[in-house]
Amino acid sequence: MRKLILAAASIAALTFVGPASAQSPIVLKFSHVVATNTPKGQAAEKFKELAEKYTDGKVKVEVYPNSTLYKDKEEIEALQLGSVQMLAPSNSKFGPLGIREFEVFDLPYILPDLKTLRKVTEGPLGTKLLKLLDAKGITGLAYWDNGFKQMSANKKLITPADYKGLKFRIQSSKVLEAQFRSLGAIPQVMAFSEVYQALQTGVVDGQENTWSNIYTQKMHEVQKYITETNHGYIGYVVIVNKKFWDDLPADIRDQLSKAMKEATAFSNTQSQKENEDALAEIKKSGKSEIIKLTPEQDEAMRKAMEPVYKDVASRVGQPLIDEFLKETGRGPMN
């Protein structure tokens, strides 16, 4: 696959000579791995609409959803090589690049609500994290919400003991590996596009995701139970190839920044609605039983996952975890 990406980059280099302004219009390929009718998918389409409007057609945004260009593991390398210009990978995708700090967002129960999240992403801490991407040839532009995660499986997940021995699909994240091991489950890294079939065929027993991802990928059709845990958060960092971005004429870059700011506001409003609508549709389908935990059951889950904070402190950085918790006004699991 690396050879294919390199070949694509070579072709891109032949058609993209000199600064971005040499092209008319400038083509910006935006690749992502989810469906168009998800929060990320809708936000990408909104950015396309606004970018083309504000640049008077000088920029053409081509959106490629559902892994039609690249899968999870391939897309960041493709962006670094210049064969795609923009992505919105989840926070956990930066760990394999050596930027493990973004995995702080994967810690269980670290974010109580979206208001607290916004305090982090729109403040100095969020800006500091984005700057870490520069050294990898990447410019971070914005944070987009997906939402809070729920657990699903073909058995009821009520107590920590219910997870023991089950295989759970996860994104590539050492924090998420530690999370499921703390429950006695077996984490398996898998591309998002492969999850439905893996659940259907029993390659994995369960998964964690937002309501909108579960619904649009039809995971509820192959999972008997979904437990409303809100234990973790899925968010995206909108990134662009740094050389492409820096080579843009200043006025074009300003117009695209304006489009991104408005698309971000749209995204973070839309994501909440999409998740609420998806939950309603899942309930209406009757294909999955929705389980709500009692306060005591919720507390037992939190306690079971508490060791994760210590397990990953050396990887993510204890000072960063402390700074994050100070910003959110929380203790590790309260």
Side-chain angles (χ1 to χ4, degrees):
M1 181 49 67
R2 179 177 170 82
K3 290 180 179 178
L4 289 174
I5 295 173
L6 286 167
S10 299
I11 293 169
L14 292 174
T15 58
F16 183 82
V17 180
S21 56
Q23 283 191 335
S24 184
I26 298 165
V27 176
L28 189 161
K29 293 181 180 178
F30 190 155
S31 173
H32 65 79
V33 302
V34 297
T36 300
N37 59 336
T38 58
K40 187 200 296 191
Q42 296 283 355
E45 295 299 328
K46 176 60 73 172
F47 172 72
K48 169 183 169 66
E49 173 196 328
L50 295 172
E52 293 178 353
K53 173 185 172 184
Y54 292 150
T55 63
D56 292 323
K58 292 175 185 175
V59 173
K60 180 184 178 186
V61 179
E62 298 177 354
V63 180
Y64 297 89
N66 269 328
S67 304
T68 49
L69 275 187
Y70 301 104
K71 293 185 179 181
D72 286 340
K73 292 182 180 179
E74 307 158 1
E75 60 176 10
I76 291 182
E77 183 180 17
L79 179 125
Q80 289 177 302
L81 292 169
S83 35
V84 65
Q85 286 73 48
M86 187 173 284
L87 307 171
S90 58
N91 293 301
S92 59
K93 300 288 175 54
F94 299 107
L97 267 186
I99 307 175
R100 299 168 177 173
E101 289 87 347
F102 281 93
E103 291 180 1
V104 70
F105 287 96
D106 288 337
L107 282 164
Y109 301 107
I110 197 166
L111 290 161
D113 50 47
L114 292 175
K115 183 180 178 182
T116 307
L117 166 73
R118 208 72 67 233
K119 184 181 176 186
V120 172
T121 57
E122 294 180 359
L125 182 52
T127 301
K128 183 170 80 171
L129 287 170
L130 291 181
K131 291 299 291 180
L132 297 175
L133 298 168
D134 289 354
K136 302 296 182 179
I138 296 169
T139 295
L141 298 179
Y143 293 93
W144 286 358
D145 292 344
N146 185 320
F148 289 96
K149 293 185 287 187
Q150 322 305 330
M151 297 284 199
S152 76
N154 283 324
K155 66 173 285 190
K156 290 186 177 183
L157 301 173
I158 298 173
T159 71
D162 295 328
Y163 292 79
K164 191 174 174 83
L166 296 185
K167 293 174 287 184
F168 275 82
R169 176 267 172 179
I170 62 165
Q171 301 182 68
S172 180
S173 166
K174 297 298 182 184
V175 175
L176 297 181
E177 285 184 25
Q179 172 189 283
F180 278 103
R181 288 204 180 101
S182 73
L183 295 169
I186 304 163
Q188 294 196 0
V189 175
M190 183 178 294
F192 183 74
S193 58
E194 298 169 5
V195 180
Y196 175 87
Q197 186 175 9
L199 292 169
Q200 185 181 44
T201 57
V203 171
V204 292
D205 301 303
Q207 58 85 48
E208 57 168 11
N209 243 303
T210 61
W211 292 118
S212 63
N213 279 352
I214 292 169
Y215 179 67
T216 57
Q217 296 294 316
K218 300 182 179 180
M219 296 176 195
H220 63 293
E221 296 183 1
V222 288
Q223 296 276 267
K224 292 179 181 177
Y225 303 100
I226 305 173
T227 304
E228 193 167 3
T229 53
N230 292 311
H231 65 282
Y233 167 78
I234 296 181
Y236 308 115
V237 183
V238 186
I239 59 175
V240 66
N241 177 283
K242 190 175 188 303
K243 186 177 187 310
F244 171 85
W245 188 250
D246 291 347
D247 282 350
L248 289 171
D251 61 327
I252 295 288
R253 193 164 52 243
D254 288 346
Q255 289 152 356
L256 292 179
S257 295
K258 179 183 177 184
M260 181 56 65
K261 184 176 181 180
E262 291 185 22
T264 298
F266 168 84
S267 168
N268 293 342
T269 299
Q270 187 72 5
S271 64
Q272 189 168 0
K273 180 181 183 301
E274 293 276 340
N275 280 302
E276 289 170 357
D277 290 349
L279 173 56
E281 291 297 323
I282 290 170
K283 286 180 177 177
K284 192 193 302 183
S285 76
K287 294 185 176 180
S288 283
E289 180 183 334
I290 310 296
I291 299 168
K292 293 182 77 73
L293 299 179
T294 66
E296 293 76 21
Q297 290 164 345
D298 179 71
E299 180 59 31
M301 287 293 294
R302 290 170 182 266
K303 189 172 181 181
M305 293 193 209
E306 194 167 359
V308 176
Y309 281 71
K310 288 183 180 178
D311 290 346
V312 303
S314 61
R315 177 181 176 83
V316 177
Q318 188 64 52
L320 175 63
I321 293 174
D322 292 341
E323 187 178 358
F324 203 98
L325 291 171
K326 182 180 178 182
E327 195 73 17
T328 61
R330 292 167 66 78
M333 300 297 282
N334 65 350

